[in-house]
Amino acid sequence: MFNQAVNMADMTEEKKRLLLKQLLARKGQGQAAEQEAGEIPEEYYRVDKFPGYRMLMEQMETFKALAMDNPYFSAHEGVSDHLTHIDGKDYINYSGYNYLGLSGHPEVSAGAKAAVDRYGTSVSASRIVSGEIPLHRELEAALAHIHGTEDCVALVSGYATNVSVIGHLFGPNDLLLHDSLIHNSVVTGCQLSGARRLAFPHNDYDALEKLLVENRKQHQRVLIIIEGVYSMDGDIPDLPRFIEVKKRHKCLLMVDEAHATGVIGPRGFGSHDHFGIDAGEVDIWMGTLSKSFASCGGYICGSKALIDNLKYNAPGTVLFSVGISPANTGAALASAKIMMREPERAQRLRAKAALFLECAKAHGLDTGPSSGTAVVPIILGNSMHCLRLGQKLAQAGIGVHPIMYPAVPEDASRLRFFITHNLADEEIVYTVNTLAEALSALK
């Protein structure tokens, strides 16, 4: 079968897995034979032979064969807002998460510029030694207020926040239970910790309960990790039910608010605002500064005990990592002040997303479980359709990126639309109408 042309698009997922298993087995046999003969396989010491790179090159060849432009690493020639300019052309932009339209807002830009004028372009040290500036604590106080917690610590990277914090707080005697659709940064943090890791089906608190009944007493600390809004499907978990489970089994609960803060809740303050709960019911609130806060970095909100532990003991937080740059701190602080002052921004954003969903459903498009958030997938279940449809939309002046296997299963391949505050209603209607027409023609 290896000498025959194989049409992957026509194969079932089961057949694809079988083919991959056979290919890997054959490849492993070849590597074993080379090593037995005293030869070290090239992919062990040549970067251009690494499997990941070779897979990437195969994908680039697919783009060429289909006469498609590479949809990745497009350079924006201005602010990434509801409109953007790429390679000399204007697009309605659905590929950025400037949710509240604050990146490019005059007040936010002024906050970044004022911070640079006063503190320079870098704090030039980790905060625990000499890299602290007053803006750091001002920002953390604002974030703690938004999340309703005692304290907060801000870090230079959202991804590194999950990796560093989970990796520091938990170890080999502990158990980490996360939603099956959790972000890769959480999985990486779990792996770094050395703790046992188990995934439960998406949003299934009953399955989580069962795992805890079976495993809780064999471990010391147990952490449950979910997202406030899931970045691929745009759905919201039943947080109060997860809180009940964590209390019943004496666990800790962590909620990743990257796509929730600034979006859900009457004030846009995230999950605790949306459900009207005491934020202290959740042990660890994580968030990012690159979305609603129009900056770059990550943060953890929680009790003073949690934050002091991280600030003084966690290697990847402020202990061995440089402090957030003055510009990023100033921009995030200005955005937080606007968010607190103008809760109507989150309300308008959700209205835009509701309009997109309404139009999409009127055309019979599959939007998955998205509801009440700024993430709307159009699920196509076919990677080639995703690529071709994305190209058709780009030709019509609409910028959206395909999400395909292995980021999601093949039957969940999709175009993912990030809805942002400054989108005009007519831009949304035009987008969905164009999408529906192009999809109909493609099929």
Side-chain angles (χ1 to χ4, degrees):
M1 69 177 293
F2 297 107
N3 295 322
Q4 297 176 352
V6 177
N7 187 345
M8 295 290 286
D10 294 336
M11 296 179 69
T12 65
E13 286 299 306
E14 183 177 355
K15 287 183 178 179
K16 287 179 184 178
R17 286 193 293 270
L18 177 61
L19 176 60
L20 179 59
K21 184 177 180 180
Q22 291 171 327
L23 289 170
L24 289 173
R26 186 183 185 194
K27 188 174 183 180
Q29 291 168 2
Q31 291 171 350
E34 287 182 353
Q35 287 182 292
E36 286 178 8
E39 295 292 330
I40 304 298
E42 286 187 327
E43 68 178 58
Y44 291 175
Y45 61 89
R46 285 186 54 177
V47 175
D48 63 324
K49 299 296 183 181
F50 282 10
Y53 178 74
R54 293 171 66 178
M55 186 181 296
L56 176 63
M57 290 301 99
E58 289 174 7
Q59 187 179 61
M60 294 300 122
E61 289 301 319
T62 300
F63 292 152
K64 288 181 182 178
L66 296 174
M68 289 182 171
D69 295 329
N70 182 350
Y72 306 112
F73 289 94
S74 302
H76 295 266
E77 297 162 357
V79 175
S80 177
D81 201 352
H82 68 116
L83 298 175
T84 190
H85 196 73
I86 301 172
D87 198 23
K89 183 176 178 179
D90 291 324
Y91 295 87
I92 304 173
N93 184 23
Y94 295 95
S95 291
Y97 29 65
N98 185 7
Y99 286 140
L100 296 180
L102 296 179
S103 179
H105 188 288
E107 189 174 327
V108 175
S109 297
K113 292 172 185 175
V116 170
D117 288 343
R118 182 165 185 177
Y119 300 106
T121 55
S122 173
V123 297
S124 304
S126 67
R127 287 173 59 186
I128 200 167
V129 287
S130 60
E132 181 96 0
I133 60 174
L135 288 182
H136 287 149
R137 289 306 297 144
E138 290 182 49
L139 171 61
E140 289 163 348
L143 293 171
H145 172 77
I146 288 169
H147 286 279
T149 60
E150 292 179 353
D151 206 351
C152 170
V153 60
L155 293 77
V156 295
S157 160
Y159 191 99
T161 296
N162 276 332
V163 173
S164 301
V165 170
I166 297 172
H168 166 66
L169 291 176
F170 302 92
N173 296 320
D174 302 326
L175 174 64
L176 305 175
L177 296 153
H178 63 76
D179 190 285
S180 59
L181 299 187
I182 205 73
H183 193 268
N184 176 267
S185 58
V186 169
V187 175
T188 303
C190 293
Q191 293 169 338
L192 175 65
S193 73
R196 185 182 179 200
R197 177 174 68 91
L198 295 173
F200 55 88
H202 182 49
N203 284 338
D204 192 338
Y205 43 80
D206 289 329
L208 170 64
E209 177 95 37
K210 184 178 179 182
L211 285 174
L212 286 166
V213 169
E214 295 171 350
N215 296 280
R216 172 64 183 98
K217 292 183 179 178
Q218 286 83 53
H219 300 85
Q220 295 177 359
R221 286 168 292 191
V222 175
L223 176 69
I224 301 164
I225 316 165
I226 62 174
E227 295 183 23
V229 169
Y230 284 88
S231 61
M232 286 295 177
D233 288 317
D235 57 330
I236 302 170
D238 189 342
L239 179 56
R241 296 301 293 269
F242 282 98
I243 291 173
E244 290 174 10
V245 172
K246 86 106 180 180
K247 286 182 175 179
R248 192 154 46 244
H249 294 276
K250 295 181 171 58
C251 302
L252 299 164
L253 177 61
M254 178 177 184
V255 181
D256 183 332
E257 292 282 271
H259 294 271
T261 309
V263 178
I264 64 173
R267 299 167 294 176
F269 285 6
S271 296
H272 79 95
D273 194 32
H274 176 78
F275 287 103
I277 63 171
D278 177 358
E281 301 276 20
V282 172
D283 303 278
I284 306 172
W285 294 99
M286 179 271 176
T288 56
L289 299 176
S290 57
K291 300 173 178 66
S292 293
F293 293 103
S295 183
C296 187
Y299 60 89
I300 295 291
C301 286
S303 67
K304 188 176 186 304
L306 170 70
I307 302 309
D308 282 348
N309 184 354
L310 296 176
K311 288 175 69 173
Y312 285 91
N313 295 322
T317 55
V318 300
L319 189 58
F320 294 115
S321 176
V322 71
I324 298 179
S325 73
N328 282 331
T329 309
L333 177 58
S335 296
K337 290 178 178 178
I338 294 172
M339 186 188 298
M340 291 185 283
R341 188 179 72 222
E342 301 177 15
E344 62 272 15
R345 280 186 174 267
Q347 297 160 14
R348 287 195 294 263
L349 169 61
R350 293 195 300 274
K352 305 290 185 184
L355 175 61
F356 192 104
L357 269 176
E358 179 185 347
C359 293
K361 290 180 178 178
H363 282 288
L365 300 173
D366 184 357
T367 58
S370 175
S371 178
T373 72
V375 180
V376 182
I378 301 296
I379 301 172
L380 304 175
N382 184 303
S383 292
M384 285 301 145
H385 282 179
C386 285
L387 286 170
R388 291 189 182 279
L389 188 57
Q391 187 176 49
K392 289 291 184 184
L393 293 178
Q395 292 168 356
I398 299 166
V400 61
H401 273 79
I403 307 294
M404 306 173 297
Y405 180 84
V408 293
E410 174 65 17
D411 61 2
S413 299
R414 67 196 58 199
L415 296 179
R416 179 176 58 173
F417 290 80
F418 289 119
I419 312 303
T420 52
H421 174 273
N422 291 336
L423 277 166
D425 289 356
E426 55 268 27
E427 291 168 345
I428 293 173
V429 173
Y430 166 76
T431 295
V432 179
N433 287 344
T434 304
L435 168 63
E437 292 171 8
L439 181 57
S440 178
L442 183 63
K443 289 182 176 179

